[in-house]
Amino acid sequence: FWNKDAESVQCSGGFFFTHPSGSIDAHNGFYQKKKGIATASGDVHAGDSAKTYLFTGEYLEYDREKEILTMPQKPMLYQYEKLKDGTVDTMTISAKRIVYNKKNSFAEAYENVRIAKKDMIITGDTGYFDRLNDWLSMTHVRLVQNDMVVTCDSGFFDHKNNWFSLKGSPTCDMKNYHLTGDSIFLELDSTGKSLRSALVIRNAHGVQQEEAKKNAPGHVTEAFGDTLYAKFSNDKIERLYVNLNARGFFYEDDLKDYRNLMDGDRLDLYFNQGKMDKAVVSGKAQSTYFYVKKDRSVAGKNEATGDTIHILFDAQKNAVKSLRLLGGGNMASGRYIDMEKTERLRKESM
């Protein structure tokens, strides 16, 4: 139906609107030429001529002058990026309502937002996506990529440079690793598939777990402090340091009550193929290490203090190989407590 005075056209049973920059296809449509507004309903498909994006849904409003598309009913946005090898990378966005600014390549999504790109899935309440600068910002975020799960109240992802900023009760979980704190910054490798490093600011807490193998029990290492930094390679931790009020401990699953302690101003942990290889405790350093016999009974414990404590580990046995104490501002000292003897004397006195 064409209204000459209003310069509008209404179509039912098939609507196709085209212009140099794109087109809209739907069951029904209404176009107001004076206002530059087109609306469409029923199995709507809208895309640009360059085939860089496609909208689908049940209803669409397009402001031709402002180049803004609004879809409030079952919208899906597909964004296409042609890669150097000739393949096409697709990002899919779904939500209760999506607004897309074609001129600025900027999308807004509201309620039940879901983003899927290759092996990454992100869900949240609201989302903002800047295609030109290749970043996205979301609230109440849950991100899943391979075995990595990230949650936070608000998150920012710079896809071009492969890093995340997480705030508001953030957590990062991977196979054998767990990170929490007030803020977390994650850097991915050049492929965007593996974690390269993690920086945790304020109330930092990191956990590394090793599963039990053959006759060896599982092993848990935890670190706390004001700031925590972890470096990874091939999804295995290489180094972890905690700065300011550093505290750490490690224990074996079958001896959870016997926690080997490491406290100081700073804690540096080094790993070899995911297993703890060396620890350096600096600044008012203290350590406690329990000696475990082959029958898994606890024979005694070493207590050490100093300005710096160097601890070497036997990765095969999950045990301390050696301790080296350095003095300085604090005199180095160490002692061994024979727990078996103490228990024997206690029983004899009863």
Side-chain angles (χ1 to χ4, degrees):
F1 175 76
W2 166 251
N3 187 320
K4 183 178 180 181
D5 295 333
E7 293 190 79
S8 65
V9 60
Q10 184 173 348
C11 300
S12 298
F15 174 72
F16 184 73
F17 173 78
T18 183
H19 52 92
S21 61
S23 63
I24 302 172
D25 185 14
H27 291 329
N28 309 297
F30 182 56
Y31 176 60
Q32 303 173 74
K33 185 178 180 181
K34 289 182 178 179
K35 295 182 179 180
I37 301 293
T39 59
S41 62
D43 193 23
V44 180
H45 290 70
D48 65 336
S49 302
K51 299 187 183 301
T52 62
Y53 76 87
L54 172 68
F55 259 115
T56 65
E58 290 302 312
Y59 184 85
L60 176 146
E61 179 180 291
Y62 175 58
D63 187 322
R64 186 177 180 183
E65 183 179 341
K66 296 180 180 178
E67 294 191 78
I68 294 178
L69 296 94
T70 302
M71 298 194 75
Q73 295 180 19
K74 300 180 181 178
M76 294 281 290
L77 170 60
Y78 303 87
Q79 291 192 330
Y80 307 110
E81 179 186 1
K82 191 170 183 179
L83 304 179
K84 293 180 179 179
D85 60 4
T87 61
V88 177
D89 190 13
T90 303
M91 180 170 72
T92 305
I93 303 171
S94 63
K96 189 172 182 179
R97 182 171 181 265
I98 297 178
V99 179
Y100 183 65
N101 187 317
K102 183 176 179 293
K103 186 182 296 184
N104 298 323
S105 296
F106 190 87
E108 304 170 33
Y110 302 93
E111 295 188 53
N112 303 320
V113 181
R114 184 181 187 274
I115 303 167
K117 186 173 184 179
K118 292 183 178 178
D119 54 0
M120 180 188 296
I121 297 176
I122 310 175
T123 57
D125 287 346
T126 59
Y128 303 93
F129 316 95
D130 187 331
R131 186 173 181 183
L132 290 178
N133 298 298
D134 208 4
W135 61 259
L136 66 89
S137 175
M138 296 183 66
T139 61
H140 299 105
V141 183
R142 177 180 171 83
L143 179 150
V144 179
Q145 182 174 19
N146 299 323
D147 65 351
M148 181 172 68
V149 179
V150 172
T151 64
C152 63
D153 291 339
S154 63
F156 181 90
F157 178 36
D158 183 335
H159 185 259
K160 183 183 296 184
N161 298 301
N162 285 323
W163 62 267
F164 292 96
S165 172
L166 315 172
K167 296 182 179 181
S169 305
T171 66
C172 176
D173 289 278
M174 297 170 57
K175 184 179 180 181
N176 301 327
Y177 306 106
H178 173 74
L179 296 171
T180 61
D182 289 358
S183 301
I184 299 178
F185 299 88
L186 303 176
E187 180 190 14
L188 303 180
D189 64 8
S190 58
T191 67
K193 295 181 178 181
S194 297
L195 186 61
R196 174 179 288 172
S197 67
L199 176 64
V200 186
I201 306 295
R202 305 292 185 200
N203 299 308
H205 178 207
V207 181
Q208 185 254 356
Q209 295 177 302
E210 297 175 31
E211 298 177 354
K213 294 181 180 179
K214 295 182 179 179
N215 297 324
H219 189 271
V220 178
T221 303
E222 296 195 41
F224 305 80
D226 184 74
T227 302
L228 180 151
Y229 174 81
K231 183 179 179 182
F232 297 83
S233 178
N234 297 321
D235 293 326
K236 290 185 178 181
I237 193 167
E238 283 190 335
R239 184 188 175 194
L240 183 149
Y241 80 72
V242 182
N243 199 25
L244 299 177
N245 303 313
R247 181 166 61 93
F249 57 79
F250 57 96
Y251 61 88
E252 293 168 305
D253 284 346
D254 61 338
L255 296 170
K256 293 182 180 180
D257 293 333
Y258 298 93
R259 298 191 171 195
N260 306 285
L261 306 178
M262 301 173 289
D263 292 349
D265 292 334
R266 174 171 171 140
L267 175 63
D268 289 81
L269 304 178
Y270 300 85
F271 298 81
N272 185 3
Q273 295 298 313
K275 293 181 177 292
M276 191 143 60
D277 185 55
K278 181 175 71 173
V280 180
V281 190
S282 309
K284 300 177 183 178
Q286 302 179 60
S287 72
T288 300
Y289 168 68
F290 290 93
Y291 175 68
V292 181
K293 295 164 60 174
K294 289 183 179 181
D295 63 1
R296 305 302 297 162
S297 63
V298 179
K301 64 179 179 179
N302 285 295
E303 294 182 342
T305 61
D307 188 66
T308 305
I309 302 174
H310 294 258
I311 308 171
L312 293 181
F313 293 87
D314 185 330
Q316 299 300 320
K317 298 180 180 178
N318 272 339
V320 171
K321 184 188 296 184
S322 67
L323 285 170
R324 184 162 64 96
L325 312 179
L326 299 177
N330 299 288
M331 183 176 293
S333 65
R335 66 171 181 165
Y336 177 77
I337 299 174
D338 190 331
M339 296 171 64
E340 289 181 322
K341 181 179 179 181
T342 301
E343 179 64 15
R344 186 171 61 251
L345 292 174
R346 186 187 68 83
K347 290 180 178 180
E348 291 175 354
S349 65
M350 294 176 63

